[in-house]
Amino acid sequence: MVLQAETEYGTDPDDDTRRSLLRHMLVARGVDEEARQLQKQGALDLWLSCQGQEAAQVGSALAVGPTATVFPSYREHAVALLRGVTPDELVAQWAGRTFCGWDPRRLRFFPYTLVLAAQTLHGVGYAIGQRLQGRDDLVVVYMGDGATSEGDMSEALNLAAVESASVLFICQNNGWAISKPAGEQMRTSVAERARGFGIESVRVPGQDPETVFSACSRAAAHVRAERAPCLVEIPVGRIHGHSTSDAQEVYRDHEDIARARAADPVTAYAARLGGLGLVDTAWLDAVDAEVRELRERLMKEYV
Amino acid sequence: MVLQAETEYGTDPDDDTRRSLLRHMLVARGVDEEARQLQKQGALDLWLSCQGQEAAQVGSALAVGPTATVFPSYREHAVALLRGVTPDELVAQWAGRTFCGWDPRRLRFFPYTLVLAAQTLHGVGYAIGQRLQGRDDLVVVYMGDGATSEGDMSEALNLAAVESASVLFICQNNGWAISKPAGEQMRTSVAERARGFGIESVRVPGQDPETVFSACSRAAAHVRAERAPCLVEIPVGRIHGHSTSDAQEVYRDHEDIARARAADPVTAYAARLGGLGLVDTAWLDAVDAEVRELRERLMKEYV
Amino acid sequence: MSAVRSAALAESINATLADLLEQDPRLLLLGEDIGRLGGVFRVTRGLRERFGAERVRDSLLAESTIVGQAVGMAMSGLVPVCEIQFDGFTYPAVNQLVTQAARIGDRWNGQVSPSLVVRIPTGGGVRGVEHHSESNEALFARVPGISVACPSTGEDADQILRYAVTLGSPVVMYEPIRLYWRRNTPARDPEPARSPTAARIVRRGTDLTIATFGAVTHEVLEAAYALSPEVDVEVVDLRWVAPLDMNTVLESVARTGRLLVVHEGSKDVGIGAEVAASVAEHAFDALRGPVRRLAPDRRAYPPADFEKDYLIGVREIKDEVLVMTK
Amino acid sequence: MSAVRSAALAESINATLADLLEQDPRLLLLGEDIGRLGGVFRVTRGLRERFGAERVRDSLLAESTIVGQAVGMAMSGLVPVCEIQFDGFTYPAVNQLVTQAARIGDRWNGQVSPSLVVRIPTGGGVRGVEHHSESNEALFARVPGISVACPSTGEDADQILRYAVTLGSPVVMYEPIRLYWRRNTPARDPEPARSPTAARIVRRGTDLTIATFGAVTHEVLEAAYALSPEVDVEVVDLRWVAPLDMNTVLESVARTGRLLVVHEGSKDVGIGAEVAASVAEHAFDALRGPVRRLAPDRRAYPPADFEKDYLIGVREIKDEVLVMTK
Ligand SMILES: Cc1ncc(C[n+]2csc(CCOP(=O)(O)OP(=O)(O)O)c2C)c(N)n1
Ligand SMILES: Cc1ncc(C[n+]2csc(CCOP(=O)(O)OP(=O)(O)O)c2C)c(N)n1
Ligand SMILES: [Mg+2]
Ligand SMILES: [Mg+2]
C-alpha cells in the first residue's frame, strides 16, 4: 500500500508503551480466563474468548489512542478493557443482564454488535456525521474474517471510499468463522478487497503487539492526515472454539489448534520483554496481583 | 488482467460477424425508438431506452454465443432481441401485460430483474447448480454501474470467486444511476473491484462493437477454459434519460448529453462498415425494411 | 359528495422538509436521487439547491447503506430523514432497520435515542411496473421499536413528520404515490386529531365504522358520501399503523356497533387483522355483527393491466357496507 | 398429565434430511456451519460425511448469498434446503426471499417452480444472547408466495419437510430451538392431520379452543391437562401459519364457542391477529365471548435474565382460560 513512510509518523512503541502493551495483554488474558471459568460454572450463558488475539487488539487499541471512537464487533474484549470497560461491565451481557454493560459514550467504545458487519455501516455513518458537524474524529471499526462476506461490509467499504470517511477498518482474521476456514470464505485477502474499493490497506501479522502497534499507528496517522479510510488486516490465532458452546475439535484438526496455542502472543511477548530486561519478576508479580484481584472481584460479582 | 493472450482464443470478428453486429444494432435501435414512441402515445407505461449501449450489448451477446445462459438486468433489450425475443414480447411487461413476455428457458435469456443486483446471486447459484449436475454452461450476468453498490453484487463476486463459478459478469457502465454519476458511486472501477475479490477483469470502451466482441470473446473463452469467473466493464454512453419518466436535463448538463449523442455507436458503426465497403446501400435498405416491418408490427400490436 | 382543492401531498412534504431543514441544523436528507433530481417523484425538488449537497444527500445506490449510515449519523447527533425510492425496494434495508435502528435505543440503555425517519413512497393505482406498487406497512408494524405512519393528506404528513423527527426512535412513513400530485380530494370533518399520534375521525357517522389509512381513505370517504343518507358511515383515518390508536377505533365501534377495516396492502396478517382482532377482543359486546376486512387477497401485486382487479375501489367498499348493514 | 418420550426434534429433522438426500439426487443442503460442524445445533450432524461436501454445503457467511444462490440453483433444477443460523439473522436474506424466491414462479409465468426450503431455528427460553431468541414467523406469513411452517414435533417436521421439497414454491420452516433436544413432551391425541398442510387437533375438548403453534404448543397442552376436568380445552396445533388452515379452527370454534390464540412471537400484527380476525369475521355467531390473544407485548425480546417475564408460560395460559370461561 501507499501509506506514508514509517518515519514520517514515528510509530515505534517506546519502552513504557511496550510495558503497557504487555500489561493490557495480561489483563485481557486473565479476564478472559475467568470468564471462561464463570461460563463453565453456569454464571455466564456464553463467552466468546479472545485468546490468541490479544496482541492484535491491544496493539491496535493503544495505537489509535483514547480519542478514537471504536465500533467493535463482539470479541474485542482486550480493546474494551483497555478502553476502561470494567470486567464486570464486560461480561454483564454474557450473563444475560443487559445488552451492553458499559457506558459507550464516555468510553468512546460502542456496544457490541452481534449482527455481523452491521456496525461497519454505523461506523462510516458516524464518521460522516462527525465531519458534517465539524468534528473529524478517527473512527475505528473492528470485524472478523467471516463478517467480511456480508453485503454490509462491502457497502461500508464503498461508502467510506466514496465519502473519504475517516475510518480505520481493522479486520482480525483468526482464520475461522465458527467452522468455516477463512481460505474458503474468500479468494484473496481482506486487504486486497479493500484496495479494490479504493481503500488503502495493509496486512500485518498479529502475533507481536509491536508490529501491530506500528502498523496501526501509521494507518491511524494516515487516516487523520489524509482524511481518508484505511484498512488493516491482522492474521491472528484462535486458541479456543468460536464460543463456549463450540467444540472446535469437531471440525479443526489437532495440529492447527496446537499451532495456535504454541503461538500464544501473550506468553511470547511476556518472555520477550522479560528477556530484554524491560520487565522483571516484581513487575510481573504486580500485574499478576492486579489480574488476580480483577478476577476475584469478577467472580464474586457473578457467582 | 491476466487473461490469455488474444491469439490463443482467436477472437476478432470476421466480416459476416461484423455485418451481424451492425444488423443487430440497427434492429435494437429501431425497436427502442418505436418503444419510446409507443410510450409517448400512452401504449407503454414506461420504457428504459438502451440507446447508446447497443455496441456493448450486441458485441457481448454475439461473443458469448447462443449456448450461454443470460441473467439480464432490465435494459438489455439489444441482447434480448439478438437472443430471439420478439419486439412485442420484449415490450409486453412495459405495457403492463405480464412480468416477462418471453420464454426464458428456450431462449436462455432469463427474465428482467428490477430489484437491482438480485440477479447477480441467481446467476452464480445457477452456474454452481449446473456444474453440480454435470453441465458446465457459461452464465452471463449483466448489471449497471449503480447496481454494483448493492451488497448483493459484492456477495455475488465473492461467491463466484470462492466457488470458481463459470460466470461472466458484464457491467455496462453508462456513467449514471438515474441522476447519480458513476464517479460519485465508486472510487475505483468495477473492474478493479472485481480483482479485489479475486476475479479477473478488464475494462474496454463500449463504443465499438468489435472491441467489445473481442474482449468478451476472450473473457468467455477464459471462463470456459479456466472454469473461473471473469468481469468485463464496458463504459458506454446513455443517450436518453434513465427512463421515459426521467427528465435528464434536470441534473445532466447539456454538453454531456450532446457528447453521448455524438458518440452514437450505431451511426458510427454503420458509417464505418459502409466506409470499409462491408455493407452497401442495398444491404442497409434491406435492414431498414426489416426494421420498419418490425416497428409496424409492434405498433399494431400495442396501439 | 363535496370535494376540496388543496396542496398536493408532494408539495406539503416538500414544504415541511424545507421548514425542518431551516429550523434544525442537525437534520439532513438522504436518499437515491433526492438531490440533483429532487427525487423520482420530485418530492425533494429544490431542497439541494437551497440547503446544499451536504444536507440533501444523493446517497449511494444501496438501501442498507442508506439506513445503516443513518444509524451512525444519528449516533453522532444528527437527525437523518431517509428516502427509499419505492416501497418494493425497502427489503435490502430491513436488516439495518429491524435489528439495528429499532434496537439501538435499548442496546445503549437509552443513551442514544435515534430520531431517524424513513420516507417510503407506496401503493398502486398508477400502472407501475413490477415492485413499484406495493403496500408493505405491515412489515414494520409488527416490529417493536419502529413506529409506522400512513398519512393520507399533506396536513397529516406535515404533523407526522414534525413529530417523527423528535421522537427519539425510528419512524417509517409511507407516502401514497397516487396522492403525490392529486389536488382534489373528498372533504373531511374539520375536527383535528387529539394528538400527533392519534387516529382521526374524518367523517362522523352512526351506523358503521370504517377504519382505514393511506390513499384508500379517499375511496372510503367517497363511498361513505355515496351511501349517505341510507347508511351513515363513520370513517376513522388511523394515520399511524404502529402503534395503533385503538382507543379511537374502540370508541367509534362502541357508538356504531359495526366495524369494517379497509386497506390496500394484502389482507393476511395485515393491519386489518390487528384492528379486527383488537376490536373482537375489546369491543365484543358492542358488536352487532361480524367485523369484516376488505383488502386484497394473498397474492402478489399484478401487472398493471390487472391492478384494477386487485385494488379496492369505491364500489367494493359500498357493496361491503351494504352487506354488513342489510 | 401424561408425557411421552420420543425422538428429539433435531434427530427427526436429521433423519428426514438424510432420507431426502438419499432419495432425491437434486436435493442439497446449504447453510453456515452445517457441514463440518453439523450446524450450531447439530441438526445436520453426520450428513456431510455421508453425502459429501457438494451436497451438504458450508455456505459463505452471508444470508443473502445463501438464499440468492439457492434461487439460482432452483432455476437450474436443484432443490436447495437452506439453513439460517438463527431467526434473528434472517433479515439480510429478506430481500432475496420476498422479492425473488417468492416471485420467481409468477415472473417466469410458471415455467420455473422453485422448490426451495429455508429452515430457521427459532424462539427463546434458552437464555440466548441478543438476536438469538426471536420468533419472526409473522414476517413471512404475510408475504404472498411464501409458505410458513411452525412444527412442534419431529413427526410434523418430517411431514412438513417432505411436502415442502415438492411444493414448487418457497417454504420457510421455523424450528423451535428449545425443542431440538427435548425428549419428554405432553401426550397428544393420536388422530393424524387431514393433510400435510392441515392443522391438527392435538387435544379434543368442549369448552374452549386454543389455537397455537411451535414450541409453546407444549405449554398449552400442559395447561389444558392441568385445567381438566374443570375446563375441557381443545388444542389446535396450526402447524402452518401461512397459509393458515382456518377451516379446522372455525370448526373447532363452532363446537366450543370460545377462542384463545397463544404464540411466542410478539402480539401486534402477528399470527394471532390473523386467526382472531378470521374467527371474528367467519364464526361471529358461534362465539360465546370475546376472542383473546395471549402473546408478548410489543417490545424486543429482553436479555436472558428477563425472558421469563416475556415468555408465555403454563400459568399465564391457565389464568387466561379461567378468565375466559368463568
Ligand atoms: C448476520 C449474522 N449471521 C450469522 C451470525 C452467526 N455467527 C455469529 S459469529 C459467526 C462467525 C463470525 O466469524 P468472524 O467474522 O470471522 O468472527 P470471529 O467469530 O472469528 O471473531 C457467525 C456465523 C451472526 N451473528 N450474524
Ligand atoms: C434495490 C433497488 N433500489 C432502487 C431501485 C430504483 N432504481 C431503478 S434503476 C436505478 C438506477 C440503476 O442504475 P444502473 O445500475 O447504473 O443501471 P442503468 O439504469 O444506468 O442501466 C434505480 C436507483 C431498484 N430498481 N432496485
Ligand atoms: Mg474469524
Ligand atoms: Mg448506469
Side-chain angles (χ1 to χ4, degrees):
Chain A
M1 79 168 174
V2 214
L3 289 186
Q4 317 282 323
E6 189 161 337
T7 49
E8 203 162 318
Y9 297 123
T11 51
D12 275 351
D14 59 21
D15 288 348
D16 277 349
T17 304
R18 295 162 94 181
R19 274 185 292 265
S20 184
L21 286 167
L22 179 57
R23 198 181 71 81
H24 285 297
M25 289 170 70
L26 289 165
V27 167
R29 175 60 58 91
V31 171
D32 195 284
E33 263 309 325
E34 188 59 40
R36 283 171 48 81
Q37 210 56 44
L38 284 169
Q39 198 281 332
K40 269 199 197 112
Q41 293 161 27
L44 301 189
D45 299 312
L46 189 76
W47 183 249
L48 293 101
S49 167
C50 73
Q51 294 186 32
Q53 310 190 190
E54 291 94 341
Q57 295 193 10
V58 169
S60 59
L62 263 194
V64 299
T67 59
T69 300
V70 178
F71 286 74
S73 183
Y74 51 77
R75 201 187 288 281
E76 283 71 35
H77 312 316
V79 182
L81 293 164
L82 186 151
R83 272 310 183 90
V85 174
T86 63
D88 63 298
E89 288 172 346
L90 181 64
V91 306
Q93 76 188 95
W94 309 104
R97 297 186 179 180
T98 175
F99 293 134
C100 176
W102 58 86
D103 181 334
R105 191 66 82 189
R106 187 173 57 80
L107 302 175
R108 291 171 173 263
F109 183 80
F110 282 8
Y112 281 163
T113 299
L114 270 53
V115 178
L116 292 167
Q119 81 281 6
T120 61
L121 283 167
H122 305 167
V124 182
Y126 183 85
I128 298 169
Q130 292 289 86
R131 183 175 293 169
L132 286 173
Q133 292 168 90
R135 304 181 290 262
D136 209 355
D137 302 350
L138 174 68
V139 169
V140 181
V141 179
Y142 284 93
M143 82 287 314
D145 46 298
T148 64
S149 291
E150 293 282 359
D152 273 5
M153 172 71 187
S154 292
E155 293 195 12
L157 290 176
N158 194 40
L159 179 66
V162 168
E163 297 280 351
S164 196
S166 298
V167 176
L168 174 59
F169 295 97
I170 298 182
C171 178
Q172 293 176 77
N173 185 338
N174 63 7
W176 295 90
I178 308 186
S179 69
K180 179 104 172 162
E184 297 178 19
Q185 191 80 243
M186 60 191 91
R187 264 262 155 195
T188 55
S189 65
V190 180
E192 281 175 79
R193 185 179 306 172
R195 284 197 285 277
F197 285 94
I199 294 182
E200 300 198 354
S201 66
V202 64
R203 191 176 150 98
V204 289
Q207 224 252 327
D208 171 24
E210 298 185 17
T211 315
V212 173
F213 179 88
S214 300
C216 289
S217 298
R218 275 197 301 280
H222 177 87
V223 172
R224 289 187 167 111
E226 308 294 322
R227 306 175 96 218
C230 197
L231 181 142
V232 181
E233 179 180 3
I234 315 178
V236 293
R238 190 187 85 183
I239 290 180
H240 297 293
H242 169 74
S243 76
T244 47
S245 309
D246 179 45
Q248 63 177 344
E249 295 73 22
V250 174
Y251 55 80
R252 189 174 173 191
D253 69 36
H254 217 72
E255 294 92 75
D256 191 47
I257 299 174
R259 251 195 314 275
R261 268 183 230 280
D264 185 331
V266 181
T267 50
Y269 196 54
R272 183 161 149 221
L273 291 202
L276 289 169
L278 276 170
V279 301
D280 56 16
T281 322
W283 187 92
L284 285 167
D285 286 348
V287 174
D288 212 45
E290 188 193 345
V291 171
R292 226 174 314 118
E293 154 123 29
L294 285 173
R295 291 182 65 156
E296 251 156 54
R297 248 191 284 152
L298 186 57
M299 199 195 44
K300 275 204 195 108
E301 172 69 24
Y302 283 88
V303 257
Chain B
M1 79 166 174
V2 213
L3 290 186
Q4 317 281 326
E6 189 161 335
T7 49
E8 202 162 318
Y9 297 124
T11 52
D12 275 351
D14 57 24
D15 288 349
D16 276 349
T17 305
R18 295 162 95 182
R19 274 185 290 265
S20 183
L21 286 168
L22 179 57
R23 196 181 70 83
H24 285 297
M25 288 170 71
L26 288 166
V27 167
R29 175 61 57 92
V31 171
D32 194 284
E33 263 310 326
E34 188 58 40
R36 282 170 50 79
Q37 210 55 45
L38 285 169
Q39 198 282 332
K40 270 200 199 111
Q41 294 161 25
L44 301 190
D45 300 311
L46 189 77
W47 182 250
L48 293 102
S49 165
C50 74
Q51 294 186 30
Q53 311 190 189
E54 292 93 341
Q57 295 191 12
V58 169
S60 59
L62 263 195
V64 300
T67 60
T69 301
V70 178
F71 285 74
S73 185
Y74 48 77
R75 202 187 285 283
E76 283 70 36
H77 312 316
V79 182
L81 293 164
L82 188 150
R83 272 311 182 88
V85 175
T86 63
D88 65 298
E89 288 172 346
L90 181 64
V91 307
Q93 76 187 97
W94 310 101
R97 298 186 179 179
T98 174
F99 293 134
C100 176
W102 58 86
D103 181 334
R105 190 67 81 189
R106 187 174 55 82
L107 302 175
R108 290 172 173 261
F109 183 80
F110 282 8
Y112 281 164
T113 300
L114 270 51
V115 177
L116 292 167
Q119 81 281 7
T120 61
L121 283 167
H122 305 168
V124 182
Y126 183 86
I128 298 169
Q130 291 291 86
R131 184 174 295 170
L132 286 173
Q133 293 168 89
R135 306 181 288 262
D136 210 354
D137 302 348
L138 174 68
V139 170
V140 182
V141 178
Y142 284 92
M143 83 286 316
D145 46 298
T148 64
S149 290
E150 294 282 359
D152 272 5
M153 171 71 186
S154 293
E155 292 195 12
L157 290 176
N158 194 41
L159 179 65
V162 168
E163 297 280 351
S164 197
S166 298
V167 176
L168 174 59
F169 295 97
I170 298 182
C171 178
Q172 292 176 77
N173 186 338
N174 63 6
W176 296 91
I178 308 187
S179 69
K180 180 104 173 161
E184 297 178 19
Q185 191 81 244
M186 62 192 90
R187 265 261 154 193
T188 55
S189 64
V190 180
E192 281 175 80
R193 185 178 305 172
R195 283 196 286 277
F197 285 93
I199 294 182
E200 300 197 354
S201 65
V202 65
R203 191 175 149 97
V204 290
Q207 225 251 328
D208 171 24
E210 298 185 17
T211 316
V212 174
F213 178 88
S214 299
C216 290
S217 299
R218 275 196 302 281
H222 177 86
V223 172
R224 289 187 167 113
E226 308 295 320
R227 308 175 95 217
C230 196
L231 182 143
V232 180
E233 179 180 2
I234 316 178
V236 293
R238 191 186 84 183
I239 290 181
H240 297 292
H242 169 75
S243 74
T244 46
S245 309
D246 180 45
Q248 63 177 345
E249 296 72 23
V250 173
Y251 55 79
R252 189 174 174 193
D253 69 35
H254 216 71
E255 293 91 78
D256 192 47
I257 299 174
R259 250 193 315 273
R261 268 184 229 279
D264 185 332
V266 180
T267 49
Y269 196 54
R272 186 163 144 219
L273 292 202
L276 288 169
L278 277 171
V279 301
D280 56 17
T281 321
W283 187 92
L284 285 168
D285 285 348
V287 174
D288 212 44
E290 185 192 348
V291 170
R292 226 175 315 118
E293 153 123 31
L294 286 173
R295 291 183 66 155
E296 251 157 54
R297 245 190 288 151
L298 186 58
M299 200 195 43
K300 275 204 196 107
E301 170 70 24
Y302 283 88
V303 258
Chain C
M1 182 193 93
S2 68
V4 291
R5 216 182 132 75
S6 58
L9 180 64
E11 292 168 322
S12 281
I13 295 173
N14 183 281
T16 306
L17 292 174
D19 194 40
L20 290 170
L21 283 162
E22 188 76 64
Q23 282 173 27
D24 189 347
R26 298 170 310 149
L27 201 117
L28 56 76
L29 311 187
L30 187 63
E32 294 159 14
D33 306 295
I34 66 164
R36 285 187 189 84
L37 175 60
V40 290
F41 297 107
R42 322 302 306 279
V43 174
T44 52
R45 160 196 256 165
L47 298 181
R48 182 183 195 255
E49 290 75 1
R50 193 162 149 205
F51 299 99
E54 301 238 300
R55 296 189 66 202
V56 182
R57 302 175 74 84
D58 273 323
S59 74
L60 293 179
L61 208 174
E63 291 73 15
S64 192
T65 292
I66 294 173
V67 175
Q69 80 176 294
V71 168
M73 287 171 163
M75 288 174 179
S76 85
L78 297 173
V79 179
V81 178
C82 309
E83 178 179 302
I84 301 286
Q85 202 160 74
F86 282 90
D87 198 334
F89 306 135
T90 309
Y91 297 101
V94 164
N95 184 43
Q96 283 288 347
L97 260 162
V98 172
T99 73
Q100 304 303 314
R103 304 185 60 112
I104 290 290
D106 273 2
R107 197 180 296 153
W108 283 64
N109 299 306
Q111 265 203 53
V112 158
S113 314
S115 286
L116 186 163
V117 180
V118 182
R119 300 177 35 248
I120 309 183
T122 192
V126 290
R127 293 192 59 88
V129 296
E130 197 185 356
H131 309 291
H132 288 69
S133 305
E134 307 201 351
S135 295
N136 296 325
E137 64 286 340
L139 169 67
F140 295 117
R142 58 168 291 280
V143 178
I146 299 183
S147 303
V148 182
C150 296
S152 64
T153 69
E155 197 188 328
D156 285 349
D158 174 74
Q159 192 190 30
I160 286 165
L161 268 177
R162 289 178 193 279
Y163 173 78
V165 297
T166 67
L167 182 58
S169 63
V171 173
V172 180
M173 182 167 93
Y174 286 90
E175 305 171 358
I177 294 169
R178 69 173 182 269
L179 298 187
Y180 269 143
W181 296 102
R182 177 167 165 185
R183 290 184 194 285
N184 288 300
T185 51
R188 297 175 170 220
D189 281 6
E191 207 178 323
R194 281 186 280 207
S195 78
T197 56
R200 199 171 147 183
I201 298 179
V202 292
R203 184 181 193 283
R204 289 274 170 190
T206 52
D207 297 334
L208 178 146
T209 300
I210 300 186
T212 187
F213 57 89
V216 80
T217 306
H218 297 290
E219 277 89 57
V220 168
L221 277 168
E222 267 188 58
Y225 285 116
L227 287 162
S228 143
E230 285 71 32
V231 187
D232 189 16
V233 173
E234 176 145 312
V235 180
V236 179
D237 181 350
L238 294 168
R239 304 201 313 158
W240 293 80
V241 299
L244 277 164
D245 172 15
M246 279 308 301
N247 283 342
T248 299
V249 178
L250 292 169
E251 285 167 24
S252 174
V253 172
R255 287 191 299 270
T256 63
R258 289 195 178 84
L259 175 72
L260 171 64
V261 196
V262 178
H263 57 66
E264 186 173 326
S266 62
K267 188 192 287 176
D268 290 40
V269 201
I271 303 301
E274 181 58 38
V275 174
S278 292
V279 167
E281 279 174 305
H282 302 296
F284 185 74
D285 295 327
L287 285 173
R288 291 190 278 161
V291 300
R292 307 268 291 210
R293 290 176 286 166
L294 189 58
D297 283 339
R298 191 169 197 273
R299 63 186 175 102
Y301 199 98
D305 276 1
F306 309 95
E307 71 179 347
K308 284 246 168 61
D309 305 336
Y310 183 87
L311 290 168
I312 305 298
V314 175
R315 235 243 332 254
E316 285 88 353
I317 300 166
K318 280 166 56 183
D319 289 350
E320 190 70 29
V321 169
L322 290 174
V323 168
M324 289 177 70
T325 52
K326 75 156 181 278
Chain D
M1 182 192 95
S2 67
V4 291
R5 218 185 129 73
S6 58
L9 180 64
E11 291 168 324
S12 282
I13 295 173
N14 182 281
T16 306
L17 292 174
D19 193 41
L20 290 171
L21 283 162
E22 187 77 63
Q23 282 173 27
D24 187 348
R26 297 169 312 147
L27 200 116
L28 56 77
L29 312 188
L30 188 61
E32 293 161 13
D33 306 296
I34 66 164
R36 283 186 190 86
L37 175 61
V40 291
F41 296 107
R42 322 303 304 281
V43 174
T44 51
R45 161 195 256 163
L47 299 181
R48 181 185 196 254
E49 290 75 0
R50 194 163 149 203
F51 298 99
E54 301 237 301
R55 297 188 66 202
V56 182
R57 302 175 73 84
D58 273 322
S59 75
L60 293 179
L61 209 175
E63 291 74 13
S64 191
T65 292
I66 293 173
V67 176
Q69 78 176 295
V71 168
M73 287 170 164
M75 288 173 179
S76 85
L78 297 173
V79 180
V81 178
C82 308
E83 177 180 302
I84 300 286
Q85 203 160 74
F86 282 89
D87 196 336
F89 306 135
T90 309
Y91 297 99
V94 164
N95 184 45
Q96 282 289 349
L97 260 162
V98 173
T99 72
Q100 304 304 315
R103 304 182 60 112
I104 291 290
D106 273 2
R107 196 180 297 151
W108 282 65
N109 299 309
Q111 264 204 50
V112 157
S113 315
S115 286
L116 185 164
V117 180
V118 182
R119 299 176 35 246
I120 309 183
T122 193
V126 290
R127 291 191 62 86
V129 296
E130 198 185 355
H131 310 290
H132 288 69
S133 305
E134 307 200 351
S135 295
N136 296 325
E137 64 286 340
L139 169 68
F140 295 117
R142 58 169 289 281
V143 178
I146 299 185
S147 303
V148 182
C150 295
S152 64
T153 69
E155 197 189 330
D156 285 349
D158 173 75
Q159 192 189 30
I160 287 165
L161 268 176
R162 289 178 193 280
Y163 174 78
V165 298
T166 66
L167 182 58
S169 64
V171 173
V172 179
M173 181 167 93
Y174 286 92
E175 305 171 357
I177 295 169
R178 69 172 182 270
L179 298 188
Y180 269 144
W181 296 102
R182 178 168 164 185
R183 290 184 193 285
N184 288 299
T185 51
R188 299 176 167 217
D189 282 6
E191 208 178 321
R194 281 187 279 207
S195 77
T197 58
R200 196 170 149 184
I201 298 179
V202 291
R203 185 182 191 281
R204 289 273 170 189
T206 52
D207 297 335
L208 178 146
T209 300
I210 301 186
T212 187
F213 58 89
V216 80
T217 306
H218 298 290
E219 277 88 58
V220 168
L221 277 168
E222 267 188 58
Y225 285 116
L227 286 163
S228 142
E230 284 71 34
V231 187
D232 189 18
V233 173
E234 177 145 313
V235 181
V236 178
D237 181 350
L238 295 166
R239 306 201 311 159
W240 293 80
V241 298
L244 277 163
D245 171 14
M246 279 309 299
N247 283 343
T248 298
V249 177
L250 291 169
E251 286 168 22
S252 174
V253 173
R255 287 190 298 271
T256 64
R258 290 195 176 85
L259 173 73
L260 171 64
V261 196
V262 179
H263 58 65
E264 187 173 326
S266 62
K267 189 192 288 176
D268 289 43
V269 200
I271 302 302
E274 180 59 36
V275 174
S278 293
V279 167
E281 279 174 304
H282 303 296
F284 185 74
D285 295 327
L287 284 173
R288 290 189 280 160
V291 301
R292 308 268 291 208
R293 288 177 288 166
L294 189 58
D297 283 339
R298 193 171 196 272
R299 62 185 175 102
Y301 199 97
D305 276 1
F306 309 96
E307 70 179 347
K308 284 247 166 63
D309 305 338
Y310 183 88
L311 289 168
I312 305 298
V314 175
R315 237 244 331 255
E316 285 88 353
I317 300 165
K318 281 166 56 184
D319 289 351
E320 192 70 29
V321 169
L322 291 174
V323 168
M324 290 177 70
T325 52
K326 77 157 180 272

